[in-house]
Amino acid sequence: LNKQKSLKRAQAIAQRLIAVYGIDPARIRAEGAGSSMPPEKKHNESFRAYQYRMNRVEFIALRENPF
């Protein structure tokens, strides 16, 4: 369930980047990790702040097109 929600969130953001900002779809790949890759808890971070960061989106900029 979490992985499906994560993938749908990533796909929605990818579609927005394509539609609004005109980014070439060949340069975007949406992946959902769900709870399989939670962020590391920061030192002295409250549980509430940690939970807030759970629904995150990460962008990785590549120098070359890997496709």
Side-chain angles (χ1 to χ4, degrees):
L1 178 68
N2 283 341
K3 193 162 187 166
Q4 290 173 338
K5 289 171 76 174
S6 179
L7 177 59
K8 286 186 178 193
R9 183 181 303 115
Q11 289 171 335
I13 291 171
Q15 289 299 324
R16 178 123 176 121
L17 290 172
I18 293 165
V20 175
Y21 298 101
I23 296 176
D24 181 9
R27 298 185 64 205
I28 296 177
R29 180 178 58 207
E31 295 180 5
S35 58
S36 65
M37 293 179 61
E40 290 187 29
K41 190 170 187 302
K42 296 178 182 178
H43 182 66
N44 291 335
E45 181 178 34
S46 71
F47 183 70
R48 183 176 179 170
Y50 177 71
Q51 279 187 317
Y52 181 76
R53 289 191 310 115
M54 291 294 282
N55 294 331
R56 73 194 189 284
V57 174
E58 296 179 2
F59 294 91
I60 301 172
L62 304 174
R63 292 181 189 255
E64 297 179 22
N65 189 348
F67 304 109

